[in-house]
Amino acid sequence: MTLDTEISYLKGVGPQRAALLGKELSIYTYADLLMLFPFRYVDRSSITRVDQIDNDTSFAVFKGIVRNMHTVKTSLRSERLTVDLYDGSGSIELVWFQGVKWIREKLKPNVEYLVMGTPSQYNGMWQITHPEIEPYSYSDDHHNYTPVYSTTEKLKAAGLNTKAISRLVDTLLKQIGDTIPETLPQYVIARHGLMPRNQSLHNIHFPTSPQALSQAIERQKFDELFFLQLNYQYRRTARNLHSSGLVFQTVGDNFNRFFAEKIPFTLTDAQKRVIKEIRADMRTGRQMNRLLQGDVGSGKTLVALMTMLIALDNGCQSCLMAPTEILATQHYNTFTKMLDGLGINVALLTGSLRPVEKRTIKRNLAEGHIDILIGTHALIEDSVTFNQLGLVVIDEQHRFGVQQRAKLWAKNSIAPHILVMTATPIPRTLAMTLYGDLECSVIDELPPGRQPIKTMHATDAKRLLVFDFMRKQIAAGRQVYVVYPLINESESLDLKDLMDGYESISRSFPQPKYQLSIVHGKMPAEAKSYEMERFKRGETNIMVSTTVIEVGVDVPNATVMVIENAERFGLSQLHQLRGRVGRGGGQSYCILMTKDRLAKNAAERISTMCATTDGFRIAEADLRLRGPGDIQGLQQSGILNLKVADIVDDEPLVATTRQSVTAILEADPELRSPDNALLLKYIRQQAAKPSWEKIS
Ligand code: ADP
Ligand code: MG
């Protein structure tokens, strides 16, 4: 028997239940069932009395008899079943909306039941919706640590409640005994003092003691984090060993003249260091895959530009891909201005160009007349071909899907170097796991003379004061952003918010004394950039907009950022928005407007913003408050599939496993040693799955 055996062969399963297990819990094989870990453990001998329930009671076990069964039809097709569980001290209501028929038939009077669930208060009455319920038996008095599995109403209706699942697991474990294969080399197990996998999987389902349980969980977490990183790091190592990249040997005229004649300021030390790292990386003969992290305003664009000049010095074209048309246009303007007089051809390719313009650009590009191409995702269209593409810079990486990047990569026979820039600081733990196969450069320093932005929280009641403040800043020659949230699902509603706000601001800031711009996603691209340009040139005082200005827009004279309904934004978005001010024009302010009463989480976001401007600290808080699931860019990563490990809580283990993997690959990059046979086997299995390894 192997763990690959189909689940239908397990005693107690059969074809029908097998189909259901597959559909509901993705359990197809013995191994899948073995890896369905309990989501909690209950001590069934520790019973809570109904009269002990209070607001602090979480998941608990009750014991009693059922009475007063009621069924209420709630609509044509659905009904609600309620029943009282009485335990001598009082009763609690149990409620079902699904599987009603089955439960009703199962429940018998004068039988003692064990009920598990989390009580909540409804109409002054304690109740549990969809509790786990099963007849009590004396053996329950001794069982400690009974596993509780997540199951579904459909499974329950087929008799597969948590108890039944645990019986299946028990059957399986008895059948396979001690033959569960090991996944880690012995020396790794010994070095880290891990519980063997066999023992760990037995204990994770049926713990023999609390200590054994925690060791079992630790082992599973180790596996998860270890193999995630092995996968990434092995790929990077393999790429470095085998694949060739363009060799950018020289730093020539373009770079040197720009450096000597064009840079209007001295580079920060961080910028210099990062450029050095990039230069070194691009002449190794391997493809560069580098992530450039730097807070908003840290000067990433300049680094990108200089990197592109190195490409040009080595006879290669390069392109810069931006997430929005506004940004692409802005980069284009910056580049043409900064490169003025150097005889370098820069072109802008966006979706809204006329077909003839597009055709001309594409022809010039293919013939090699364009040195630097800037654009939006129009760049990855199949019809765009380069003469000799040597470098791809991707701005604000999280907006581009992996597939899109893969498409870009395919535009040259030798993989172009890749530089991914992001202003969303990635917490260390995440960077370690997620970008195990990416080199990382960090600009951790802002250009000199920047005063930290002052951030304040104001409730709607203080609006007039905020308006006064805006007037003063405008009188001092400054410009102001007012930003409204725009969240997709309720777009028209949000747009109304924006329009109402715009009207109220127009009334308080009347023409001709004040000039207003407005930008939102529903406007045609031309109108958008027209408004942006007016604001940039200082012709308007206030820019009212949605989050389309979120990323990268650069207007140094703007010193006030007012964020409306700030409670509706996530932390990283607030941080991005705040980064639009404080870009060189003197003391800047960010005002977070919210309603009076805030939910706990929202209040914490607002106070974090007021307390710090450090992007990394904000990213850590974001991760803590939201969990990794919501952080942009993580969808494609394996992080979301982590079953037991937690990227925040298990930071030390992330570091340990990473070091372990690094050491193993340093000693044996191709995993040829017999000691590492298990690891190589894992990698081979992974290789059978689709991957985008060359693009990171
Ligand atoms: P990022 O893309 O990292 O958010 P930018 O590249 O847009 O930041 O730079 C922000 C502003 O700082 C720009 O106006 C840029 O010209 C300016 N800047 C960049 N590097 C320096 C420097 N070393 N000294 C002074 N100003 C700089
Ligand atoms: Mg930028």
Side-chain angles (χ1 to χ4, degrees), residues 249-297:
Q249 200 53 259
T250 46
V251 169
D253 267 4
N254 292 301
F255 184 94
N256 288 331
R257 278 188 62 200
F258 176 78
F259 194 76
E261 298 166 22
K262 292 290 177 186
I263 301 189
F265 29 67
T266 36
L267 296 179
T268 62
D269 287 342
Q271 282 171 319
K272 283 185 205 153
R273 171 171 42 79
V274 164
I275 288 171
K276 251 192 221 141
E277 286 167 2
I278 292 171
R279 268 175 60 180
D281 208 358
M282 292 194 305
R283 61 169 165 232
T284 56
R286 298 186 303 257
Q287 180 206 15
M288 172 172 78
N289 262 282
R290 188 167 282 274
L291 179 71
L292 175 57
Q293 289 193 68
D295 224 332
V296 271

Side-chain angles (χ1 to χ4, degrees), residues 14-32:
Q16 238 169 4
R17 283 181 164 187
L20 215 49
L21 281 169
K23 202 159 142 247
E24 297 286 298
L25 298 176
S26 300
I27 293 175
Y28 303 99
T29 63
Y30 284 7
D32 292 338

Side-chain angles (χ1 to χ4, degrees), residues 561-626:
M561 167 63 66
V562 179
I563 304 177
E564 296 282 350
N565 301 319
E567 71 274 14
R568 292 175 57 188
F569 288 96
L571 265 177
S572 69
Q573 221 177 1
L574 289 173
H575 180 62
Q576 288 277 341
L577 284 170
R578 179 166 61 184
R580 298 306 109 222
V581 295
R583 298 175 80 86
Q587 180 62 57
S588 292
Y589 305 87
C590 175
I591 301 171
L592 306 171
M593 303 285 303
T594 70
K595 57 184 184 191
D596 273 349
R597 296 171 62 94
L598 294 180
K600 189 162 163 273
N601 218 299
E604 208 171 325
R605 288 199 297 274
I606 302 290
S607 65
T608 304
M609 285 297 293
C610 292
T612 182
T613 53
D614 180 336
F616 282 90
R617 272 185 62 193
I618 288 169
E620 302 274 359
D622 200 23
L623 188 60
R624 192 164 41 76
L625 287 173
R626 292 196 302 171

Side-chain angles (χ1 to χ4, degrees), residues 112-346:
E112 266 194 305
Y113 286 99
L114 274 191
V115 168
M116 287 164 271
T118 307
S120 61
Q121 224 160 6
Y122 185 73
N123 281 343
M125 173 84 181
W126 287 107
Q127 60 165 228
I128 305 179
T129 18
H130 288 225
E132 288 280 341
I133 182 163
E134 46 198 64
Y136 162 80
S137 77
Y138 288 107
S139 66
D140 286 330
D141 292 345
H142 310 292
H143 262 215
N144 276 344
Y145 287 97
T146 308
V148 181
Y149 296 90
S150 52
T151 155
T152 65
E153 291 312 315
K154 278 194 186 140
L155 285 169
K156 282 187 199 166
L160 288 172
N161 59 6
T162 179
K163 186 153 192 175
I165 291 178
S166 106
R167 262 198 306 270
L168 291 181
V169 176
D170 187 47
T171 307
L172 177 60
L173 283 172
K174 289 209 169 96
Q175 207 172 319
I176 51 185
D178 283 344
T179 63
I180 301 174
E182 189 45 74
T183 46
L184 287 175
Q186 272 314 316
Y187 74 95
V188 176
I189 294 176
R191 187 179 297 162
H192 297 279
L194 298 170
M195 181 183 258
R197 180 160 186 262
N198 179 55
Q199 209 179 328
S200 147
L201 286 173
H202 277 273
N203 268 288
I204 214 158
H205 291 288
F206 301 105
T208 50
S209 71
Q211 293 78 5
L213 177 60
S214 70
Q215 278 178 294
I217 292 174
E218 183 78 3
R219 166 64 208 256
Q220 292 307 317
K221 286 181 176 177
F222 190 97
D223 272 30
E224 235 170 34
L225 295 169
F226 180 91
F227 284 106
L228 183 68
Q229 303 191 67
L230 180 70
N231 201 20
Y232 279 128
Q233 287 200 38
Y234 178 85
R235 280 195 265 158
R236 173 168 65 179
T237 312
R239 194 165 56 215
N240 289 350
L241 283 177
H242 301 300
S243 79
S244 58
L246 298 156
V247 183
F248 289 175
Q249 200 53 259
T250 46
V251 169
D253 267 4
N254 292 301
F255 184 94
N256 288 331
R257 278 188 62 200
F258 176 78
F259 194 76
E261 298 166 22
K262 292 290 177 186
I263 301 189
F265 29 67
T266 36
L267 296 179
T268 62
D269 287 342
Q271 282 171 319
K272 283 185 205 153
R273 171 171 42 79
V274 164
I275 288 171
K276 251 192 221 141
E277 286 167 2
I278 292 171
R279 268 175 60 180
D281 208 358
M282 292 194 305
R283 61 169 165 232
T284 56
R286 298 186 303 257
Q287 180 206 15
M288 172 172 78
N289 262 282
R290 188 167 282 274
L291 179 71
L292 175 57
Q293 289 193 68
D295 224 332
V296 271
S298 60
K300 294 184 294 296
T301 312
L302 190 64
V303 171
L305 173 58
M306 294 177 76
T307 306
M308 292 168 111
L309 293 179
I310 298 177
L312 186 57
D313 281 337
N314 290 274
C316 282
Q317 296 169 300
S318 52
C319 67
L320 170 75
M321 189 155 69
T324 66
E325 208 156 312
I326 292 182
L327 266 181
T329 311
Q330 182 180 294
H331 280 316
Y332 174 75
N333 292 336
T334 309
F335 276 41
T336 41
K337 209 164 79 199
M338 290 192 115
L339 296 174
D340 183 43
L342 293 179
I344 295 170
N345 288 317
V346 184

Side-chain angles (χ1 to χ4, degrees), residues 304-305 308-309 311-312 316-322 328-329 331-332 335-336 339 344-350 353 357-366 368-381 383-395 408 411:
L305 173 58
M308 292 168 111
L309 293 179
L312 186 57
C316 282
Q317 296 169 300
S318 52
C319 67
L320 170 75
M321 189 155 69
T329 311
H331 280 316
Y332 174 75
F335 276 41
T336 41
L339 296 174
I344 295 170
N345 288 317
V346 184
L348 176 67
L349 181 65
T350 61
L353 286 188
E357 296 171 314
K358 275 193 200 167
R359 269 201 301 277
T360 314
I361 289 181
K362 285 176 190 173
R363 195 180 52 240
N364 284 333
L365 193 66
H369 303 311
I370 292 174
D371 304 314
I372 292 177
L373 181 66
I374 295 172
T376 52
H377 45 262
L379 285 188
I380 62 171
E381 282 170 22
S383 59
V384 180
T385 49
F386 291 79
N387 186 274
Q388 174 67 292
L389 179 63
L391 168 71
V392 177
V393 180
I394 302 175
D395 196 6
L408 250 184
K411 288 188 183 297

